[in-house]
């Protein structure tokens, strides 16, 4: 059984990364969608909204990126 | 093209439907070409210096003429320079942004060239897909905004981050913990990994699709109808190729923009 | 456990030269040095050469544009004053023209009246002369007629008188005729 678990590490980390990417995917969608709504409502605030949007995306995306790194760490074994 | 050949040489066109390399690393790590005093010069390292030279050359030729009416190329370079200066440094940081402008501008152009190396014929390798450059730049950004934060706000920078007075007391410790983790640990890591991951993913996709396309199409005489799958792979690869141009520009912009945002949040630190 | 082991290995070795996936994520020391050097080249170029040159160019362009703008402003003002001049001149010319036309019209009017008056006068003169002539012609014709009638009457009378001038009736007839003639 030990050998089988060893063989599963790579595919399992892939599945893990896939699961981890769901949340940030939804989150970035919400951030970008709301930013578009805000820009459409107040085009004169475009610069500020874009900056804030990228900050929000950066925060949200962090989780997916951690997942990306952990995938490599996990599959390294 | 070297990595294309590596990936293609191991492709089993009879049993596989796409040419996946046995090890991802072989797409990103090249053999040492020569050694200078223990310093192993690989293709990546040569490309890094080439990127620096190309960046310098673009800026040099783009801004060389002190003409009042610039050429087309000069106008394009000036447009990008004005974009970094006005759209990033001035709009995000404010009047103080001028101080950080050399760093932001060098970063933007270097990353832009480095990213677009991915879709440059005969080079086809984004140097930013090696962790060295994103990590170094993210670390520099981290040092800058940490330094600015502590220089402007003393230890209030750390204390107010952990203990934000604007937040109700019940949630304060939780918000403080998240903020501490996010600002002091996550920011530099995600900054570096975002660029790195995008470029690695893009390079993998491009290499896989284009190589598979070529290999399967050239193998049509041997394997018959199955080889036409190569046409599909190649078409998808071309689409990704166009997408990667966009991603390369966007990632250079985002990296520079986030650096500016982080510096700004340290200058105007308020909780 | 595998995961923790990897983390431990990561902490102790910092490299992962074993060829696993991790070596992809961690920066290669030689590449790090090369990357730093390459970035520093770009940075110093931008800092020392590119930015000052950009600022100078932009400043020069700004000045040129400002200069051109003020020049354009000047030209515009000049053009405006010129236009005003032209407009004034045009108005003057128009007024002059109007005046001339008015004068001409008045003169024409005058001339017309004169001509009419003269024509009328001439016509009336002609009429008067014609009437006078007709009058005199008529007088002359009358005198002639009277004379002729007298002569004829006398001749007639002579013939009658010469033939049978006796009888009271004839005498009476002659007398009445003569009286009638007198009346004419």
């Amino acid at each position: 059984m030990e050998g089988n678990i060893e063989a599963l590490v790579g595919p399992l980390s892939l599945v893990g990364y896939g699961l981890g990417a769901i949340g940030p995917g939804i989150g970035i969608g919400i951030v970008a969608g709301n930013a578009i709504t805000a820009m459409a409502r107040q085009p004169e605030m475009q610069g500020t909204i874009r900056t804030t949007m990228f900050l929000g995306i950066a925060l949200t995306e962090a989780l997916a990126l951690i997942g990306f790194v952990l995938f490599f760490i996990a599959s390294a074994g | 093209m070297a990595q294309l050949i590596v990936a293609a040489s191991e492709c089993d066109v009879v049993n596989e439907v796409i040419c996946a390399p046995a090890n991802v690393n072989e797409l990103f790590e090249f053999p040492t070409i020569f050694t200078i005093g223990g310093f192993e010069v690989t293709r990546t390292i040569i490309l890094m210096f080439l990127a620096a030279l190309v960046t310098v050359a673009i800026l040099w030729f783009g801004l060389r003429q002190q003409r009042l009416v610039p050429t087309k190329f000069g106008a394009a370079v000036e447009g990008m320079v004005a974009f970094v200066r006005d759209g990033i440094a001035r709009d995000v940081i404010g009047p103080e942004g001028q101080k950080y402008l050399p760093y932001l501008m060098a970063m933007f152009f270097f990353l832009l060239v480095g990213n677009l190396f991915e879709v440059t014929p005969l080079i086809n390798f984004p140097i930013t897909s090696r962790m060295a450059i994103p990590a170094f730049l993210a670390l520099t950004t981290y040092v800058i905004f940490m330094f600015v934060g502590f220089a402007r706000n003393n230890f209030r920078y750390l204390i107010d981050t952990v203990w934000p007075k604007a937040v109700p007391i019940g949630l304060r410790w939780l918000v403080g913990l998240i903020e501490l983790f996010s600002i002091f640990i996550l920011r530099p890591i995600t900054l570096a990994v975002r660029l790195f991951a995008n470029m690695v993913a893009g390079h993998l996709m491009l290499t896989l699709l284009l190589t598979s396309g070529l290999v399967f199409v050239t193998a049509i005489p041997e394997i018959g109808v199955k080889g036409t799958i190569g046409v599909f792979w190649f078409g998808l690869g071309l689409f990704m190729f166009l997408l990667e141009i966009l991603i390369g520009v966007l990632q250079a912009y985002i990296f520079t923009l986030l650096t500016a945002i982080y510096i700004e949040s340290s200058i105007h630190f308020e909780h | 456990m595998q995961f923790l082991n990897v983390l431990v290995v990561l902490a102790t070795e910092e490299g992962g030269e074993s060829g696993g996936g991790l070596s992809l994520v961690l920066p290669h020391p030689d590449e790090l040095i090369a990357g730093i050097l390459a970035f520093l080249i770009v940075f110093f170029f931008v800092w020392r050469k590119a930015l000052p040159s950009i600022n100078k160019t932009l400043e020069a362009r700004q000045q040129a544009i400002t200069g051109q703008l003020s020049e354009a402003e000047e030209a515009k003002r000049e053009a405006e004053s010129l236009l005003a001049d032209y407009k004034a001149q045009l108005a003057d010319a128009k007024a002059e023209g109007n005046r001339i036309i008015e004068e001409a019209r008045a003169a024409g009017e005058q001339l017309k009246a004169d001509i009419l008056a003269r024509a009328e006068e001439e016509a009336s003169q002609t009429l008067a002369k014609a009437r006078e002539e007709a009058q005199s012609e008529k007088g002359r014709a009358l005198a002639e007629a009277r004379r002729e009638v007298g002569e004829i009457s006398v001749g007639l009378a002579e013939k009658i008188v010469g033939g049978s001038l006796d009888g009271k009736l004839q005498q009476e007839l002659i007398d009445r005729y003569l009286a009638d003639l007198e009346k004419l």
Side-chain angles (χ1 to χ4, degrees):
Chain A
M1 288 304 277
E2 278 290 307
N4 287 346
I5 290 171
E6 190 78 18
L8 271 179
V9 165
L12 263 184
S13 46
L14 260 179
V15 172
Y17 174 65
L19 289 176
I22 293 174
I26 296 171
I28 291 174
I30 291 173
V31 171
N34 283 335
I36 290 169
T37 316
M39 281 186 210
R41 280 204 189 132
Q42 283 177 289
E44 70 275 6
M45 291 287 287
Q46 213 167 18
T48 322
I49 292 170
R50 195 189 297 123
T51 309
T52 319
M53 178 187 82
F54 276 122
L55 193 61
I57 287 181
L59 280 175
T60 319
E61 205 182 23
L63 297 168
L65 293 172
I66 293 169
F68 180 81
V69 178
L70 286 187
F71 162 70
F72 277 107
I73 292 174
S75 59
Chain B
M1 293 314 242
Q3 70 275 16
L4 289 181
I5 297 155
V6 169
S9 62
E10 299 171 348
C11 196
D12 182 7
V13 285
V14 181
N15 296 318
E16 304 279 338
V17 287
I18 186 165
C19 298
N23 189 345
V24 176
N25 286 13
E26 70 189 29
L27 288 183
F28 293 94
E29 282 171 3
F30 301 107
T32 306
I33 299 172
F34 56 89
T35 311
I36 309 170
F39 190 80
E40 292 174 1
V41 178
T42 60
R43 186 166 180 266
T44 314
I45 287 169
I46 293 174
L47 286 182
M48 281 176 183
F49 285 108
L50 184 66
L53 287 182
V54 168
T55 313
V56 168
I58 286 176
L59 287 171
W60 176 261
F61 287 111
L63 307 168
R64 177 185 47 171
Q65 300 106 330
Q66 297 284 331
R67 278 190 220 157
L68 295 179
V69 182
T71 57
K72 239 179 201 169
F73 177 66
V77 174
E78 267 176 29
M80 285 193 282
V81 166
F83 173 69
V84 176
R85 195 188 58 165
D86 300 339
I88 297 179
R90 196 190 59 199
D91 287 1
V92 175
I93 304 182
E96 281 179 88
Q98 289 300 315
K99 240 192 304 183
Y100 307 98
L101 189 55
Y103 178 60
L104 293 175
M105 198 166 286
M107 171 191 275
F108 178 75
F109 278 99
F110 188 55
L111 289 181
L112 189 67
V113 172
N115 289 350
L116 290 183
F117 265 15
E118 179 180 3
V119 288
T120 310
L122 301 179
I123 295 176
N124 293 101
F125 183 74
I127 52 167
T128 41
S129 72
R130 301 299 292 155
M131 196 51 163
I133 288 171
F136 165 63
L137 288 178
L139 202 66
T140 315
T141 299
Y142 182 68
V143 168
I144 290 176
F145 79 74
M146 277 292 129
F147 180 79
V148 171
F150 280 111
R152 292 294 175 98
N153 310 288
N154 289 330
F155 280 99
R156 235 165 24 81
Y157 185 60
L158 183 60
I159 294 165
D160 284 2
T161 304
V162 184
W163 199 242
K165 298 236 169 23
V167 180
I169 189 95
L171 278 173
R172 201 172 286 172
W173 62 274
L174 183 63
V175 172
L177 202 64
I178 294 173
E179 283 280 303
L180 181 74
F181 187 60
S182 150
I183 292 178
F184 288 83
I185 298 169
L186 275 189
R187 269 186 185 183
I189 295 176
T190 55
L191 192 60
V193 172
R194 176 177 302 109
L195 176 62
F196 162 75
N198 270 294
M199 286 302 124
V200 165
H203 184 59
L204 266 176
M205 292 291 287
L206 278 190
T207 317
L208 244 60
L209 291 175
L210 293 179
T211 312
S212 301
L214 282 178
V215 167
F216 277 100
V217 167
T218 49
I220 282 180
E222 296 165 43
I223 55 173
V225 184
K226 195 193 168 197
T228 50
I229 200 172
V231 179
F232 173 68
W233 291 136
F234 200 75
L236 202 61
L238 286 182
F239 173 70
M240 288 300 294
F241 190 87
L242 295 178
L243 199 65
E244 283 306 314
I245 297 175
L246 178 70
I247 289 178
V249 176
L250 193 69
Q251 287 303 323
Y253 168 61
I254 288 178
F255 199 101
T256 318
L257 182 72
L258 282 176
T259 296
I261 290 175
Y262 292 160
I263 292 174
E264 193 270 344
S265 73
S266 287
I267 293 175
H268 306 110
F269 176 73
E270 262 154 37
H271 268 294
Chain C
M1 281 301 105
Q2 192 69 39
F3 175 55
L4 273 185
N5 278 346
V6 171
L7 277 188
V8 170
V9 168
L10 198 169
T12 48
E13 285 190 5
E14 273 289 318
E17 291 280 324
S18 53
L22 197 57
S23 71
L24 191 65
V25 182
L26 293 177
H28 192 278
D30 287 355
E31 283 173 4
L32 194 60
I33 294 167
I36 291 171
L37 283 178
F39 180 74
L40 284 184
I41 293 172
V42 176
F43 177 71
F44 276 103
F45 178 77
V46 169
W47 187 29
R48 285 289 171 209
K49 289 223 55 136
L51 272 181
S53 125
I54 290 163
N55 287 336
K56 213 161 62 185
T57 312
L58 289 183
E59 212 165 278
R61 187 170 306 153
Q62 184 128 20
Q63 267 174 4
I65 287 172
T66 324
Q68 277 171 0
L69 273 185
S70 66
E71 246 170 54
E73 193 76 20
E74 188 93 351
K76 195 182 155 203
R77 223 177 302 121
E78 211 165 279
E80 263 169 11
S81 73
L82 218 60
L83 187 68
D85 276 7
Y86 281 143
K87 268 188 184 158
Q89 277 178 14
L90 200 66
D92 276 2
K94 218 178 245 177
E96 180 81 16
N98 276 345
R99 203 174 52 73
I100 290 170
I101 289 172
E102 207 57 45
E103 265 179 23
R105 190 179 293 150
E109 224 39 52
Q110 185 72 39
L111 207 64
K112 192 172 139 195
D114 280 3
I115 289 169
L116 265 180
R118 209 180 301 147
E120 229 159 73
E121 200 181 325
E122 233 163 70
S124 63
Q125 267 175 14
T126 315
L127 198 62
K129 211 186 274 175
R131 198 169 284 161
E132 212 170 278
E133 240 163 66
Q135 204 70 37
S136 65
E137 201 70 26
K138 190 182 163 192
R140 218 171 34 235
L142 262 181
E144 190 97 355
R146 193 173 288 165
R147 198 170 43 88
E148 293 249 333
V149 168
E151 272 172 23
I152 293 166
S153 324
V154 171
L156 193 61
E158 266 175 13
K159 266 181 201 163
I160 296 168
V161 172
S164 57
L165 201 55
D166 44 75
K168 262 181 126 174
L169 192 68
Q170 275 109 342
Q171 189 59 48
E172 212 170 292
L173 194 73
I174 291 166
D175 284 348
R176 209 190 309 143
Y177 182 75
L178 282 176
D180 276 354
L181 267 182
E182 277 309 303
K183 248 191 270 174
L184 270 168

